Amino acid sequence: MGEILQKKYRFTEACIRLEKGKGLYSDSKISTAEEAVRLLQGELSGYDREVLCVVNLNTRLRPVNFHVVSVGDISQSIAYIPNILKTGILSNSSSFILLHNHPSGDVTPSGQDIQLTRRVVEAGKILGITCLDHVIVGGGNGTFCSIRETGCVDFEGENISLTAAEIFRVGEDKDQPERRKMTGKEYAALRKEQLKEITDRLEAGVKEYMTNDVNFKKVLETMSKFHHYSANNVLLIAMQMPEATHVASYGTWQRKFKRQVMKGQKGLSIIAPAPQKEKRMREITDPKTGQAVLDADGKPKMEEIEMMVPRFKVEKVFDLSQTTGEPLPELNVPELTGNSENYKAFMEAMHKVSPVPIRFDDVEG
């Protein structure tokens, strides 16, 4: 037999490392996050299109490096979450600050800016890299806005409030192009309009369901299944899916029950609390007298405080029938066993110690 020749295949090792790019130079030492942001603030204000970059920090909040994540057009820059966090992981950073510019000079956060910030904050929790802030720089004038200081995004919460699919999604919702053009105020108005729409439906549902015996029975049946939901949300669930048995958010089905919402399923709209931090001014009072502290002009002194203000949003939940996956855990409660041989003595003792009369009557009907 002839010699059998074996072909050799090469299996290449991939080496992933950071590579130095261009530098920014400063007349003073850059040793704090604020100094790094200030330097990049001046740099970003001169661009004629949106540029997104990240400043990676070590455990002492000193800048390690910065990375230009993406360059877009006049009104947008494409930012995928893995690209934002990539250099932080490679730099072994403990935290980071996100920056991008608005060439128009208007530093008001858009709806897309807020949504991106929320996703980046949640992604940082998963990977153990803290997002400290997202700063928007105005083109030409160098003004800036700290999204952290606006209070529209919670940077402090420890719990992860978005699913992995929501955080790391690639692509956009069908209405995202419209949202991109919105300012923060316009996006808040949209959320308010959505909430009004569902409360109007709720008001109509109250009239319809509470004046009809058959529909009212459906509401009571739904209440028996969802005792931990408010009366408003119980009614909303009954209006949208009377046959619902167990509902939860998309993320809760995944995290707690190892179940997945089936493709094409439409969520049920309910009203969920979404408190926000707001800064308010109040009079300074003397802790001993309770009276207002006055300034040199005899006017009450004021102080700025941060407080949680109740807000609400429309949230989507899905019924068990809309999901697939592992079966729900069940409580195997054994039947009650035993006897009532001491029942008579027990009731006699109850009659003697009870401060009110006890009697048994036959009730008709």
Side-chain angles (χ1 to χ4, degrees), residues 223-236:
M223 281 185 171
S224 68
K225 303 170 190 172
F226 305 111
H227 57 85
H228 59 291
Y229 277 80
S230 68
N232 286 340
N233 282 333
V234 167
L235 181 55
L236 285 170

Side-chain angles (χ1 to χ4, degrees), residues 224-361:
S224 68
K225 303 170 190 172
F226 305 111
H227 57 85
H228 59 291
Y229 277 80
S230 68
N232 286 340
N233 282 333
V234 167
L235 181 55
L236 285 170
I237 293 170
M239 290 167 59
Q240 297 168 88
M241 185 182 284
E243 67 276 12
T245 57
H246 299 80
V247 299
S249 67
Y250 189 98
T252 300
W253 280 123
Q254 285 185 323
R255 292 192 303 269
K256 292 187 177 181
F257 301 106
K258 302 296 186 292
R259 296 183 67 85
Q260 181 67 41
V261 175
M262 293 182 287
K263 188 176 181 179
Q265 293 296 321
K266 186 177 180 181
L268 310 176
S269 297
I270 64 170
I271 300 173
Q276 291 183 349
K277 290 181 180 179
E278 287 189 7
K279 292 181 179 180
R280 301 280 181 89
M281 299 300 295
R282 72 173 181 186
E283 292 183 356
I284 301 176
T285 57
D286 189 315
K288 295 181 179 178
T289 64
Q291 300 296 317
V293 177
L294 305 179
D295 60 18
D297 298 326
K299 296 180 180 180
K301 288 185 177 181
M302 306 297 289
E303 64 178 347
E304 187 179 66
I305 62 168
E306 196 172 60
M307 59 185 296
M308 294 299 295
V309 179
R311 293 282 186 272
F312 296 90
K313 65 178 180 179
V314 177
E315 189 171 282
K316 297 290 184 180
V317 294
F318 298 85
D319 182 56
L320 172 65
S321 62
Q322 298 175 287
T323 66
T324 182
E326 296 184 9
L328 293 183
E330 296 181 358
L331 292 176
N332 296 317
V333 182
E335 293 184 6
L336 296 177
T337 58
N339 57 61
S340 57
E341 58 183 341
N342 296 320
Y343 174 75
K344 186 176 181 180
F346 172 76
M347 288 307 300
E348 288 178 354
M350 284 287 291
H351 277 281
K352 290 179 181 179
V353 301
S354 175
V356 295
I358 299 176
R359 71 171 190 269
F360 290 91
D361 293 334

Side-chain angles (χ1 to χ4, degrees), residues 158-176:
E158 296 181 359
N159 296 329
I160 298 172
S161 57
L162 298 177
T163 66
E166 292 169 330
I167 296 171
F168 294 103
R169 70 176 187 270
V170 176
E172 299 176 339
D173 299 333
K174 59 183 180 180
D175 61 340
Q176 196 67 21

Side-chain angles (χ1 to χ4, degrees), residues 43-51 71-75 101-104 139:
E43 175 75 7
L44 291 177
S45 65
Y47 282 90
D48 62 352
R49 65 198 69 193
E50 283 206 7
V51 177
V71 179
D73 57 25
I74 294 176
S75 62
N101 64 316
H102 283 180
S104 65

